[in-house]
Amino acid sequence: MTTFDQLQSNPQVDSSIQDLLGQLADHSQKLTGIRPPNPELTEEYQATLDDFASLRGGKLFFPYLASGLGNGPLVELADGSVKYDYTCGIGVHLFGHSHPAIAKASLQAALEDVVMQGNIQQNLNSYKLTQKLTALSQKNGAPISHCFLSSSGVMAGENALKLALQKNSPASRVLAFERCFAGRTLAFSQINDKAAFRQGLPEILNVDYIPFYDEADPEGSTQRALDTLTQHLQRHPGQYAAMFFELIQGEGGYYPGTTAFHRALMECCREHQIAVLVDEVQTFARTHEPFAFQHYKLDDLVDIIWIGKAAQVCATLFTKNYAPKPGLIAQTYTASTSTVASALAILDELESAPYFGEDGKIAQLHNHFKAGLEDIAQRHPDLLSGPWGLGAMTGCTALDGKPETVMPFLHDLYKNGVMAFVAGQKPTRLRFLLPIGALTPEHITDSLKVLENTLIAHRVSS
Ligand SMILES: Cc1ncc(COP(=O)(O)O)c(C=O)c1O
């Protein structure tokens, strides 16, 4: 036993942590539903928001500053209001707010000697997390053998791209799907298929696009994607290092692909020694399997994958063929001690209950949410269409799907106590990143009533 083990297993330490968790639960349980702002706090809240906007050089997307307390899908803001959160930090808070297991892990982590861990100095938990993620990725036979922790989704993606470019050098072009989103670094701004995300930036990477799967035309769209891939390969023979796969398009508008579609393209990449890169930053822990590549049964075809968001810690996982040469990958910060501990707590939670599978908790909550949206769509076909998406990525189109209509609606929905987000451009869809680790059917019913009433109010006002 190390001296730190003695500290951790000290009964007084444990009982102090239990006391704190008890206090947290007592306060958290006071948040029972949507609550309007406290008028006494409103003025100061607005002044703080204005000052924050000025300091950061632009307004926040939502006038959202949280107090620090929540209760599952409910979050308290610093103006005293309480809202349902289906934005979840754009997919980070899979277990909602103030989750006891995550709070416990963070309290324990606060006793460790350092806040941040990095390349040359890591604590034992970073090893445990690396081992656990690698094992999870291998569970259905994927030949993944390495895992490198990282500080953001896009950094994990940059590491993936570098591994592919180094291995397949001098090939340097990459392929990606139309409408894809990959992150915000200079290199990745070239991959995102959205002009506004790279306006004014120099081109530093050659990217060619493949049309994504169309559920209205499964065979035709698969053939069109394959034909486009073939044309690119003929135009630039031997020059492609990697193809990016976002198996369910997130930012692009919640469009899932299929096994047959992804498999056909991946097999073609394999034939041409093009690395198959799978961006699981948004999809990790949101489908019927821990990884979306497992959901789509693509285990035999993946070379490099990376995760972020729900996992709290980001990571690049890869096969031995793509192991880097010394010097290619290193980071001062790989993750903070509390995020590593929280990531382990989340993986334990995901293992301890039947979240995955056709009848798992993720599928059940998705079906409940989907049925509620379908019900609204049936009764108000002019106000809502869809739903789309899969698992804890559920979307629909509100009103006419035009950004100028959807944005004011989204902000009114926020005012009325439900935070959702947008995805895609034509149409602009509403997206709900379900906090499946904390959500109940009752929460969903309650939230969908607010959604319906806000839709109706927008019909009246338009
Ligand atoms: C599919 C996908 N890849 C990468 C990223 C970038 O992750 P991060 O913002 O943590 O860098 C995101 C973020 O939204 C994403 O949805």
Side-chain angles (χ1 to χ4, degrees):
M1 239 196 187
T2 62
T3 316
F4 181 69
D5 291 334
Q6 290 168 13
L7 171 68
Q8 259 194 325
S9 55
N10 180 310
Q12 252 177 310
V13 169
D14 188 50
S15 105
S16 302
I17 289 179
Q18 291 307 333
D19 280 352
L20 287 169
L21 291 172
Q23 287 294 330
L24 175 63
D26 287 350
H27 287 79
S28 170
Q29 280 157 21
K30 291 181 190 165
L31 311 181
T32 52
I34 294 173
R35 194 166 77 189
N38 175 348
E40 285 172 22
L41 298 174
T42 314
E43 204 176 311
E44 190 189 334
Y45 186 72
Q46 191 53 53
T48 309
L49 282 170
D50 292 345
D51 196 35
F52 197 14
S54 146
L55 288 168
R56 66 195 289 279
K59 257 171 58 170
L60 292 160
F61 183 87
F62 285 120
Y64 175 101
L65 281 174
S67 72
L69 188 72
N71 182 12
L74 293 164
V75 57
E76 183 190 50
L77 303 197
D79 65 359
S81 64
V82 176
K83 297 184 189 300
Y84 277 106
D85 179 13
Y86 293 99
T87 306
C88 291
I90 323 185
V92 178
H93 320 310
L94 189 71
F95 281 75
H97 296 263
S98 299
H99 191 280
I102 298 172
K104 183 175 177 190
S106 299
L107 286 168
Q108 288 172 332
L111 297 177
E112 291 194 39
D113 59 327
V114 291
V115 175
M116 298 300 291
Q117 302 184 30
N119 189 32
I120 58 169
Q121 286 182 290
Q122 311 235 10
N123 290 8
L124 203 53
N125 266 352
S126 283
Y127 157 70
K128 286 186 189 154
L129 180 60
T130 305
Q131 191 189 41
K132 225 171 168 153
L133 287 172
T134 311
L136 198 60
S137 71
Q138 296 167 340
K139 99 179 166 64
N140 299 339
I144 302 289
S145 44
H146 305 290
C147 171
F148 188 88
L149 304 184
S150 193
S151 49
S152 71
V154 75
M155 197 60 221
E158 282 269 345
N159 286 338
L161 177 60
K162 289 202 290 186
L163 298 178
L165 288 171
Q166 185 177 68
K167 159 83 171 41
N168 293 334
S169 171
S172 64
R173 300 186 79 90
V174 303
L175 294 147
F177 286 123
E178 289 174 4
R179 286 195 308 245
C180 77
F181 179 74
R184 303 275 183 175
T185 59
L186 184 52
F188 276 44
S189 65
Q190 318 291 304
I191 297 167
N192 302 328
D193 188 18
K194 192 161 172 183
F197 292 173
R198 52 171 173 248
Q199 198 186 356
L201 303 180
E203 271 189 39
I204 59 158
L205 192 68
N206 288 312
V207 185
D208 297 301
Y209 293 94
I210 310 281
F212 196 71
Y213 178 74
D214 178 359
E215 67 175 10
D217 184 12
E219 277 166 30
S221 59
T222 305
Q223 196 53 53
R224 277 192 295 282
L226 276 173
D227 291 347
T228 311
L229 178 57
T230 309
Q231 279 166 16
H232 289 314
L233 294 175
Q234 282 167 354
R235 197 168 290 139
H236 304 289
Q239 290 186 41
Y240 289 101
M243 173 153 176
F244 278 69
F245 286 83
E246 202 187 341
L247 301 175
I248 302 167
Q249 295 199 303
E251 175 73 23
Y254 277 20
Y255 296 95
T258 62
T259 300
F261 175 78
H262 290 306
R263 185 163 274 284
L265 293 168
M266 286 180 177
E267 280 171 355
C268 182
C269 288
R270 272 295 171 87
E271 273 167 37
H272 291 84
Q273 286 83 46
I274 297 169
V276 172
L277 268 51
V278 182
D279 180 340
E280 297 247 16
V281 171
Q282 192 160 158
T283 47
F284 179 72
R286 289 205 154 75
T287 66
H288 300 171
E289 288 276 2
F291 293 88
F293 79 79
Q294 294 169 335
H295 175 97
Y296 287 113
K297 300 194 173 14
L298 301 165
D299 304 71
D300 54 322
L301 290 168
V302 296
D303 291 310
I304 308 175
I305 55 184
W306 59 104
I307 63 169
K309 293 190 186 271
Q312 310 299 301
V313 173
C314 304
T316 313
L317 295 119
F318 47 100
T319 63
K320 67 175 185 323
N321 281 343
Y322 284 88
K325 298 201 169 91
L328 188 74
I329 288 180
Q331 278 172 228
T332 303
Y333 293 161
T334 43
S336 76
T337 305
S338 72
T339 50
V340 172
S342 302
L344 283 166
I346 285 172
L347 294 179
D348 283 348
E349 286 287 316
L350 288 171
E351 256 174 33
S352 69
Y355 278 96
F356 299 110
E358 296 290 315
D359 295 321
K361 203 173 165 195
I362 295 178
Q364 284 177 19
L365 287 167
H366 171 83
N367 290 339
H368 197 88
F369 207 93
K370 183 168 168 250
L373 291 173
E374 278 165 352
D375 179 47
I376 299 176
Q378 215 170 21
R379 286 180 293 108
H380 308 287
D382 57 326
L383 298 183
L384 192 136
S385 50
W388 291 279
L390 193 109
M393 297 169 70
T394 306
C396 62
T397 303
L399 307 161
D400 60 7
K402 291 185 182 152
E404 60 273 23
T405 318
V406 176
M407 286 312 206
F409 168 77
L410 183 75
H411 284 277
D412 271 355
L413 186 63
Y414 173 89
K415 274 192 210 136
N416 294 342
V418 173
M419 287 181 71
F421 200 44
V422 281
Q425 294 182 70
K426 287 180 190 164
T428 299
R429 286 179 172 174
L430 284 188
R431 63 169 141 166
F432 297 86
L433 288 137
L434 309 185
I436 45 103
L439 196 63
T440 64
E442 292 71 35
H443 292 135
I444 295 176
T445 308
D446 202 19
S447 314
L448 290 181
K449 267 189 218 142
V450 179
L451 176 73
E452 181 171 352
N453 289 339
T454 313
L455 282 165
I456 292 169
H458 271 253
R459 173 167 52 202
V460 172
S461 68
S462 60

